[in-house]
Amino acid sequence: MPLDLVIGAQWGDEGKGRITDLLARKADVVARFSGGDNAGHSVTVGDQLFRLHLIPSGILHDHTHCVLGSGMVLNPVSLISELDSLSSAGIDIEPERLSISSNAHLITPAHLALDGAEENARGSSKLGTTGRGIGPAYTHKTARRGIRLEAFLDPEEHLAKYQQHLDQANRLLETVYGQPGIDIESAVLHFHEHASRIKPYLADTGHLIDSALRQGKRVLAEGAQGTLLDLDHGSYPFVTSSHPTTAGALLGLGVGPQYIDRIIGITKAFQTRVGEGPFPTELQGELADRLRGSGEHPWDEFGTTTGRPRRCGWLDLVLLRYAARINGFTELALTKLDILSGLETLMLCTAYERGGVPSIDLVGGPSTLDEMVPILEAVEAWEDDLSEISTWNGLPEAARIYVGRIESSVGLPIRMISVGPERDQLIART
Ligand code: GDP
Ligand code: IMO
Ligand code: MG
């Protein structure tokens, strides 16, 4: 009865969707556990490119049952539009294929407006959120003022609470932020429409996952965001408002740790970040542009959700070791190794220096990242195109050394190496 976790080891966009899609071949249930439509997971299947925000990437395999866990915050507008766009791509999602936790929290139009207003008010200290209402929705959840999706089971009964929520938000928007309030009448109308569309999918997903595990089925948890965006363990306050880590997976699914088999940390072969906050190995200029790509390929480093150019830099082994510690990774999966081909210079960050003192660990946690000077080591680069290589021995020696260097530095095996977005562009190692 194994539970496998796919966890972002960096600042998100590591290729979790792509790796989930691979592992989902052998999974019975694929579940998201935290975050909302701030996530953007691109998965390439043949000539089709799917950009998923809420529905687990496992939906692209006919045999899976997909779950949106209780740790998530869900915007019904995005959810319905994703269901519709999957349907027009030939994937009709009946309730037999998708269960949504009735304990997940609703993202309302008020949360979207508040996300924008709060970012505006932060001025030059803005966080660079995705603007999807994530922070305000989790704020209301922890303040015990949130609205759970269970409201859709009987919208009439929950209407007064919903209206009160909108009223309160409007007072805040108008008086504190000096912004127009939202149109309550139309929000209420949509509340009923959304309820009737989403109600058939609502379920006790904790029970569903537990039953599946007890029956010996394989459950795959698809992380969103990444460890360094974790509310507790990320580069606070430049984080998201949820827990994209192993602990968050258990919490957001409602299962204990006894079922866990693999905890797979997904890392790119380099480092990226979208939004504000510290980034010790960040590059500027030509090298950054080279890692980012010009935008002509779907995999170039521009946000799947917001289209913003991602900041790019060298792979940071200090942070990768930190992520391995926070999550208890049992292995790593390395993506985008192909992007490094043909670079004249290739560097790895092996340690930090702070006040003249070097350290290979992040002592003091991510809040000290601003003060860290990365110690970079040049490693041998390679010319060869990797995109059609499917075996370990087929990789150029310098690429094997690069991978080996990461493994020995983090103390974990890299069992999957991705060399392109397509399903078969993968080197599997036993
Ligand atoms: P996620 O949010 O972690 O699922 O990652 P994203 O989907 O936001 O970003 C990863 C991007 O890289 C997607 O466009 C993937 O199709 C693409 N991708 C994943 N693995 C590889 C790889 O090994 N090589 C290349 N070139 N692209 C990849
Ligand atoms: P996936 O699942 C990359 C970042 C935002 C911002 C910060 C807070 O595709 O890896 P939020 O809207 O969550 O309040 O924004 O978190 N962020 C992501 N960055 N990938 C993501 O998801 C992200 N989700 C949120 O850019 O810096
Ligand atoms: Mg992404």
Side-chain angles (χ1 to χ4, degrees), residues 60-280:
L60 306 176
H61 295 269
D62 292 341
H63 67 276
T64 56
H65 188 86
C66 288
V67 168
L68 303 184
S70 60
M72 293 186 72
V73 284
L74 298 172
N75 180 342
V77 178
S78 311
L79 184 57
I80 291 168
S81 108
E82 200 162 319
L83 289 172
D84 290 345
S85 81
L86 281 164
S87 170
S88 30
I91 303 173
D92 283 313
I93 308 178
E94 301 300 326
E96 294 71 41
R97 285 219 60 203
L98 176 71
S99 299
I100 303 174
S101 171
S102 47
N103 284 355
H105 277 248
L106 196 63
I107 296 183
T108 70
H111 293 138
L112 296 176
L114 285 169
D115 198 359
E118 286 169 10
E119 274 288 80
N120 251 339
R122 287 184 191 111
S124 61
S125 330
K126 73 175 190 315
L127 305 178
T129 74
T130 58
R132 296 295 191 270
I134 305 297
Y138 278 115
T139 302
H140 281 155
K141 173 179 172 172
T142 41
R144 294 159 294 178
R145 286 194 280 120
I147 296 169
R148 304 218 259 190
L149 264 77
E150 65 195 1
F152 284 165
L153 292 171
D154 187 349
E156 217 38 61
E157 189 197 320
H158 290 85
L159 198 56
K161 187 178 174 192
Y162 188 61
Q163 277 173 324
Q164 191 187 26
H165 156 81
L166 299 172
D167 272 339
Q168 276 177 359
N170 272 359
R171 279 206 296 280
L172 203 59
L173 286 164
E174 286 158 8
T175 55
V176 176
Y177 295 111
Q179 297 219 349
I182 52 155
D183 178 348
I184 296 190
E185 207 177 311
S186 104
V188 166
L189 203 69
H190 288 132
F191 183 64
H192 281 96
E193 280 170 27
H194 297 154
S196 58
R197 182 79 194 268
I198 289 172
K199 184 176 166 178
Y201 295 95
L202 296 181
D204 177 348
T205 55
H207 177 67
L208 186 152
I209 288 174
D210 185 62
S211 309
L213 288 164
R214 281 175 195 276
Q215 287 166 36
K217 293 188 173 164
R218 188 169 274 274
V219 177
L220 180 64
E222 175 179 2
Q225 291 75 55
T227 302
L228 302 168
L229 290 171
D230 184 277
L231 182 59
D232 277 20
H233 301 292
S235 47
Y236 191 89
F238 300 101
V239 292
T240 191
S241 297
S242 66
H243 300 285
T245 39
T246 297
L250 298 176
L251 192 65
L253 295 177
V255 288
Q258 72 276 22
Y259 297 113
I260 295 179
D261 184 15
R262 300 163 72 182
I263 308 176
I264 309 161
I266 317 300
T267 178
K268 270 180 209 170
F270 50 101
Q271 202 87 11
T272 64
R273 172 163 209 172
V274 57
E276 310 303 316
F279 183 170

Side-chain angles (χ1 to χ4, degrees), residues 12-17 38-42 52 225 274 303-305 310:
D13 302 324
E14 299 90 348
K16 299 174 293 293
N38 48 349
H41 298 180
S42 297
L52 300 160
Q225 291 75 55
V274 57
T304 311
T305 301
R310 296 178 186 147

